[in-house]
Each structure stands twice: as C-alpha cells, then as structure tokens.
C-alpha cells in the first residue's frame, strides 16, 4: 500500500467520521459538505475529491454503520433462533453506550420516510432485512416449541423491531427513565417459552 493511497484512505475515513458527527447533531438536511470539510480541516474541493455529492457521503456513512454492526455482532452469520435474539440484545447494549450513533440513526430514519430522501431506499432495505432476519428466528423457535402459545412469528418480528427503535427514541429524550436492554429482554421473556434462551 503506497503512502499516498494510505493517506487518502485515512482522509476518507476522517470525512466519514466528521459527517456522522454532523448528521447526529443537525440531521442530514441540516448538514453541508462545506461544514463537513471545515471539521476535517480540508477545503471543499478536497472533500469533493473523495465524495463528489452529498448523497455519496451519506451512502458511505450508512455503509460504515452497517459494517461496524455486522463486524461487532455478526448478525448475518450462523443459524437463526435464540442466538440472533441474543445478538440483538448485545447490539442494543452497545448502542446504549454510544448515544451519538443512536441519535444519528434515529434522525436519518425519521428523515428518510420521505420517498425522495437519498437514504429512503437504504432504510427500506434495512428494515426489510431486519424484519426477515428476526422473523426467521421466531419461525425457527416456533417450530421447536420455543415460542409461547398464541405468539405468531410475523407479528412478533414486527413488534420486536418496532420496540427496538421506539425504545431508542424514548431513551434519547429521557435516558434515565428508559432501560433499553432491560425492557427489550423483558419483552422477549413474554414471547419465548424458555426464558433461559436469553441467558
């Protein structure tokens, strides 16, 4: 790896980090490429060299967030079932220690409900993938008698994802009143036939 290439990679990562911080503070629409460049200590032209458009920088921010989640919790590997639910609990615990990334995600998710938002399709796919992954786990648990009587896997998956994100928004506004992991764990214990699956 040449020195120039390495320097470019580092500069690119610095830009993404600054953009994540700025989006977390003012949202995507409130952030500008010029302000991002200023935070990194480079010119606007220098930033444009790495990210020609505001949309390309947003895509890089979202890609980094996903890569960090997958690397940390390995949500896309291994068999579905209680293991995946435990990983979501671990991810929630991680998020509780990093309010900045939770704030960024919540702001972008709210903004991106508009079909013309550049991150709209990302969140459509993100939520679809999350629902399908959790649904598959609940279906595996249902087939092995791991769900309580009357629990329907599809509805349980929708509620689980909605609860995760809804709790995060409440936690951002009143962190002392909301136990992200505790509430999510308590909910799962009302769904699973064997609460020991979460230990």
């Amino acid at each position: 790896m040449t020195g120039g290439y390495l320097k470019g990679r580092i500069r690119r990562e610095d830009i993404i980090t600054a953009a994540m911080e700025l989006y977390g503070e003012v949202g995507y629409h409130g952030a500008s490429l010029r302000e991002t460049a200023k935070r990194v200590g480079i010119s606007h032209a220098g930033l444009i060299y790495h990210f020609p458009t505001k949309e390309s920088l947003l895509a890089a921010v979202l890609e980094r967030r996903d890569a960090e989640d997958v690397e940390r919790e390995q949500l896309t590997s291994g068999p579905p079932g209680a293991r995946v639910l435990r990983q979501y609990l671990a991810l929630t615990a991680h998020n509780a220690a990093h309010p900045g990334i939770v704030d960024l995600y919540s702001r972008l998710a709210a903004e991106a409900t508009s079909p013309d938002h550049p991150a709209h399709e990302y969140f459509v796919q993100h939520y679809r993938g999350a629902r399908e992954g959790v649904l598959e786990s609940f279906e595996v648990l249902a087939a092995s008698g791991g769900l309580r009587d009357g629990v329907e896997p599809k509805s349980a998956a929708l509620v689980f994802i909605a609860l995760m994100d809804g709790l995060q928004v409440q936690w951002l506004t009143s962190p002392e009143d909301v136990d992200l992991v505790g509430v999510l764990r308590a909910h799962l214990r009302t769904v699973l036939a064997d609460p020991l699956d979460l230990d």
Side-chain angles (χ1 to χ4, degrees):
M1 182 179 291
T2 66
Y5 178 75
L6 177 59
K7 184 177 179 181
R9 288 288 301 274
I10 293 172
R11 177 56 52 82
R12 179 181 169 87
E13 292 304 309
D14 288 345
I15 293 169
I16 295 172
T17 298
M20 290 178 77
E21 293 172 354
L22 190 57
Y23 294 168
E25 293 171 15
V26 301
Y28 171 76
H29 288 300
S32 70
L33 292 180
R34 291 187 185 281
E35 177 60 26
T36 304
K38 181 178 177 182
R39 291 190 177 204
V40 179
I42 62 175
S43 67
H44 181 251
L47 186 146
I48 294 297
Y49 173 80
H50 294 282
F51 298 101
T53 65
K54 190 176 178 182
E55 291 78 12
S56 66
L57 180 54
L58 174 61
V61 166
L62 295 172
E63 287 169 8
R64 173 177 309 163
R65 180 191 180 278
D66 282 353
E68 289 175 350
D69 281 352
V70 169
E71 180 179 352
R72 183 174 53 254
E73 306 301 341
Q74 297 181 334
L75 290 174
T76 60
S77 65
R83 184 196 61 81
V84 169
L85 299 179
R86 285 195 298 270
Q87 287 180 334
Y88 271 103
L89 288 172
L91 176 61
T92 302
H94 173 83
N95 287 346
H98 298 84
I101 194 66
V102 177
D103 191 41
L104 167 63
Y105 172 84
S106 298
R107 284 176 182 265
L108 287 177
E111 289 183 348
T113 57
S114 173
D116 61 356
H117 192 283
H120 178 75
E121 187 58 28
Y122 165 85
F123 278 99
V124 168
Q125 298 301 324
H126 173 79
Y127 278 118
R128 180 176 295 134
R131 288 192 304 268
E132 289 175 353
V134 174
L135 171 59
E136 187 178 10
S137 291
F138 279 132
E139 287 176 338
V140 166
L141 289 166
S144 63
L147 295 185
R148 293 184 183 273
D149 290 342
V151 174
E152 196 277 314
K154 185 173 182 179
S155 294
L158 288 169
V159 169
F160 181 78
I161 298 299
L163 183 60
M164 279 189 67
D165 279 16
L167 281 171
Q168 287 184 158
V169 172
Q170 292 187 57
W171 174 74
L172 286 169
T173 58
S174 303
E176 67 283 354
D177 296 329
V178 179
D179 178 357
L180 283 177
V181 179
V183 173
L184 197 60
R185 187 185 298 273
H187 167 71
L188 285 174
R189 291 186 188 282
T190 69
V191 174
L192 301 180
D194 182 4
L196 294 179
D197 282 344
L198 299 178
D199 295 337

